[in-house]
Amino acid sequence: MREKLEKIGSEKRFEYTSTFQKFGIKSGYKSSLPTFIVTDVKDSNGQLITDHLWLNFTTMFNQFGWLQPGDIVKFSGRVDTYFKGYYKDQLDYRLTYPSKVSVIRNGTKLEKSSLLRNKRPYELADEIANRLGLPHY
C-alpha cells in the first residue's frame, strides 16, 4: 500500500488524517524514543494512502497530552524514503516533518496542553514502557 506514498513524491507537503491506535518505543542513540502508530492514513480528498504509519511522538504531537485510541490525528507532512528490515535492506516510504498538527477526540478539537511539555523524550519513552509493561532500555 505504500506505493501511493511513492507516487505522491517528496516535492511538496500535504495534509493527512489518521486514527491513533497505540504508543510504542524504539531504540535511539543514547536512550529509547517514544513513537506511536496511526491507521487509515488518508489524504485531504479522503483517499486511503496507507493502512498504518509509525510516527515519532515529538513536541508537535505531545502538546496535546497523551493520545487515546480512536483520536483523529491531522497533520501536514512530506513523503520520505527509509530502509527497513533486520538488515535495513528494504526500501519503504513514510511521512516526515509533521506540522499543523491537530487532534480530535469524540468530535471535539483538543486544545494544546502543557501536561507533557517539559518532559524529555526518554522520560516519555519510560512512561510508555511502564504503561505497556515493556522493559526499559
Side-chain angles (χ1 to χ4, degrees):
M1 216 188 252
R2 300 278 171 99
E3 294 83 22
K4 291 181 181 177
L5 283 173
E6 178 183 12
K7 288 179 184 174
I8 291 170
S10 60
E11 298 292 317
K12 295 182 181 176
R13 301 175 68 78
F14 293 98
E15 293 182 10
Y16 300 94
T17 302
S18 60
T19 304
F20 173 82
Q21 293 301 318
K22 68 177 183 174
F23 286 103
I25 54 176
K26 68 178 181 179
S27 297
Y29 175 66
K30 291 186 177 182
S31 63
S32 297
L33 298 172
T35 62
F36 65 100
I37 189 170
V38 292
T39 57
D40 301 324
V41 181
K42 298 177 182 176
D43 65 14
S44 58
N45 296 322
Q47 183 174 353
L48 186 66
I49 298 301
T50 186
D51 61 344
H52 77 281
L53 282 175
W54 281 96
L55 297 165
N56 293 325
F57 190 54
T58 62
T59 305
M60 295 303 296
F61 296 105
N62 72 30
Q63 65 186 338
F64 297 99
W66 291 108
L67 302 177
Q68 297 178 9
D71 284 352
I72 303 301
V73 180
K74 295 184 175 188
F75 63 97
S76 177
R78 184 182 305 269
V79 176
D80 191 18
T81 59
Y82 73 104
F83 288 96
K84 69 177 189 175
Y86 183 76
Y87 295 107
K88 305 287 185 217
D89 58 352
Q90 301 169 10
L91 181 67
D92 203 1
Y93 297 86
R94 63 184 174 187
L95 294 173
T96 59
Y97 305 111
S99 64
K100 300 179 184 173
V101 174
S102 64
V103 177
I104 299 169
R105 180 174 296 150
N106 299 324
T108 303
K109 188 174 179 179
L110 295 184
E111 298 295 321
K112 294 179 181 177
S113 165
S114 61
L115 178 68
L116 304 177
R117 185 180 311 163
N118 295 324
K119 293 201 177 206
R120 299 193 181 274
Y122 70 87
E123 293 172 319
L124 293 170
D126 283 348
E127 191 161 338
I128 290 169
N130 285 336
R131 288 173 175 222
L132 298 175
L134 299 173
H136 295 260
Y137 298 103

